[in-house]
Amino acid sequence: MRETVHVPLGARAYDVVIGPGLMEEAGTLIAPLLPRPRVAVVTEKRVAALHLAALENGLGAAGIDCVALELPPGESTKSWTHLAQVTEWLLDQKIERRDVVVALGGGVIGDLVGFACAILRRGVRFVQVPTSLLAQVDSSVGGKTGINTAQGKNLAGAFHQPSLVLADTDVLASLGPRDFLAGYGEVMKYGLLGDATFFAWLEENAQAMAAGDVALRVAAVKRSVEMKADIVTRDETEQGDRALLNLGHTFCHALEAATGYSDRLLHGEGVAIGCGLAFELSARLGLCSQEDPSRVRAHIKAMGMKADLADIPGDLPDAAGVLDLMGQDKKVVAGTLNFILARGIGEAFVTSDVPRDAVMAVLEDALTAR
Ligand code: GLY
């Protein structure tokens, strides 16, 4: 049941290995990268309690020694303070230019450790071992690394591709249902942005996948990673097509800001709601059929996820307030909001040509339905 997706980025090419049981084999899989049998692992405490021993055993089975740093869990770890801590710890551990660092965790750890590796000795290699569904299908692949600053999320960072990604689908069993489904928001996004057949497959299979079917999980992660690899290969540094990966994200980032980046709305939940709104906007602009937004929302609901603004607990700003928050998104170019719209399911495109009134109307109606 093991799958490998190659990311063909020339000198920065690498494999994403997907399947059950990869922790046990981590040593064998990582060994070909190592100049000496030693790695440094950076993780966070919650993930360490669940998976660090398995990874250490897998490395040990191939004769690889490891030292490990456990950071606090949570988004606030993506900070200058922890970037300095990780970088200096790696130096203290005498990690040399040709050594390899392993990032074990979700998106926070992957982004932080990737950034530390980008700057450590002007760049050391790292292996991503993503432990959330979101990290397996999105953040561990494609080389975006970074931290949050006082001014906003992901505002300091670097493109630094991993040398290998090990997406062990067994670890997904340790996720709570809400976190799994939040990650699913990003899986669904791939079907919506570029593969109608995959979206139809998800409509058929995603409930069984969420319930635990391993073969379906491997297939869904593989197709998501293939699509991400394809887009990243076309546009590594987001000059164009890579922005397609932000389908639903302009609405999502505004809603995350409006809810204070709290557990009122997880990122993947915001992506799912945002995809529904992006299709609603596309339908109103006459770009796609009226049925498409209903189909998107029906699938989100069928998965038991938040589908509408009404599903977000607590108060939200009015439409003008949400629109203002959209304007603060970092994808604003010269004051114009870049949107990802769709001509149909699987047919997303990037545009900056979106009338403000149309966005206001979609938001007003969505907020009135609360
Ligand atoms: N998560 C969006 C990207 O990697 O470009």
Side-chain angles (χ1 to χ4, degrees):
M1 220 190 282
R2 180 161 308 170
E3 301 282 356
T4 299
V5 177
H6 185 63
V7 188
L9 284 171
R12 296 176 306 290
Y14 55 97
D15 284 341
V16 182
V17 186
I18 301 153
L22 297 185
M23 290 288 185
E24 290 81 10
E25 287 180 53
T28 317
L29 293 162
I30 293 173
L33 299 173
L34 304 183
R36 55 174 173 159
R38 181 167 184 266
V39 294
V41 178
V42 183
T43 185
E44 49 102 324
K45 286 189 189 334
R46 266 181 334 205
V47 167
L50 293 166
H51 306 301
L52 182 57
L55 178 63
E56 284 172 340
N57 289 340
L59 293 166
I64 300 169
D65 283 338
C66 82
V67 283
L69 174 66
E70 296 180 26
L71 298 170
E75 185 74 27
S76 58
T77 298
K78 263 176 75 168
S79 65
W80 291 113
T81 310
H82 289 100
L83 178 69
Q85 183 189 351
V86 172
T87 309
E88 292 185 6
W89 179 79
L90 291 169
L91 290 169
D92 287 344
Q93 299 308 314
K94 312 252 180 307
I95 292 301
E96 295 171 5
R97 187 77 195 275
R98 300 192 59 242
D99 285 331
V100 167
V101 175
V102 178
L104 171 69
V108 167
I109 287 295
D111 285 6
L112 171 74
V113 176
F115 191 21
C117 291
I119 59 175
L120 183 73
R121 301 186 188 279
R122 299 199 180 86
V124 301
R125 292 170 302 155
F126 76 119
V127 173
Q128 291 266 24
V129 184
T131 57
S132 67
L133 179 57
L134 190 138
Q136 293 195 350
V137 298
D138 183 24
S139 58
S140 68
V141 180
K144 277 192 183 174
T145 72
I147 57 167
N148 306 326
T149 72
Q151 291 77 9
K153 288 183 72 163
N154 297 324
L155 291 180
F159 286 101
H160 186 51
Q161 300 290 344
S163 297
L164 176 69
V165 181
L166 300 181
D168 185 338
T169 48
D170 282 342
V171 307
L172 302 176
S174 64
L175 297 174
R178 190 176 173 201
D179 283 327
F180 185 91
L181 289 175
Y184 179 73
E186 299 278 3
V187 174
M188 183 191 81
K189 177 195 79 177
Y190 289 107
L192 293 177
L193 76 86
D195 187 347
T197 307
F198 183 46
F199 186 71
W201 182 87
L202 290 169
E203 286 179 312
E204 205 53 35
N205 294 294
Q207 277 158 303
M209 181 196 70
D213 187 299
V214 177
L216 294 176
R217 286 182 175 193
V218 173
V221 173
K222 179 189 177 214
R223 183 65 194 130
S224 301
V225 170
E226 275 174 352
M227 292 192 68
K228 177 135 192 192
D230 184 47
I231 290 173
V232 167
T233 304
R234 290 205 303 267
D235 177 20
E236 187 178 2
T237 57
E238 199 164 322
Q239 307 302 311
D241 266 10
R242 186 164 179 162
L244 291 171
L245 296 169
N246 296 323
L247 176 64
H249 283 62
T250 308
F251 286 109
C252 169
H253 289 152
L255 295 172
E256 282 183 292
T259 49
Y261 300 97
S262 66
D263 74 351
R264 282 172 63 199
L265 184 73
L266 303 180
H267 176 71
E269 294 172 334
V271 170
I273 295 175
C275 285
L277 292 170
F279 270 84
E280 182 63 39
L281 180 56
S282 303
R284 289 191 192 199
L285 294 171
L287 293 163
C288 69
S289 85
Q290 298 293 336
E291 285 75 47
D292 287 342
S294 314
R295 188 173 158 199
V296 174
R297 286 178 48 254
H299 178 57
I300 302 170
K301 274 186 201 293
M303 292 303 292
M305 298 169 70
K306 293 180 170 61
D308 299 302
L309 298 190
D311 299 326
I312 302 173
D315 292 335
L316 287 177
D318 61 10
V322 177
L323 194 63
D324 267 1
L325 291 168
M326 292 171 99
Q328 285 162 27
D329 192 278
K330 71 173 180 304
K331 281 168 279 303
V332 175
V333 178
T336 313
L337 261 186
N338 263 355
F339 259 97
I340 319 302
L341 296 177
R343 296 193 178 87
I345 294 200
E347 293 174 63
F349 64 99
V350 187
T351 178
S352 55
D353 187 20
V354 181
R356 194 187 144 87
D357 292 353
V359 184
M360 269 297 270
V362 165
L363 288 171
E364 269 162 5
D365 291 350
L367 285 161
T368 315
R370 271 168 66 85

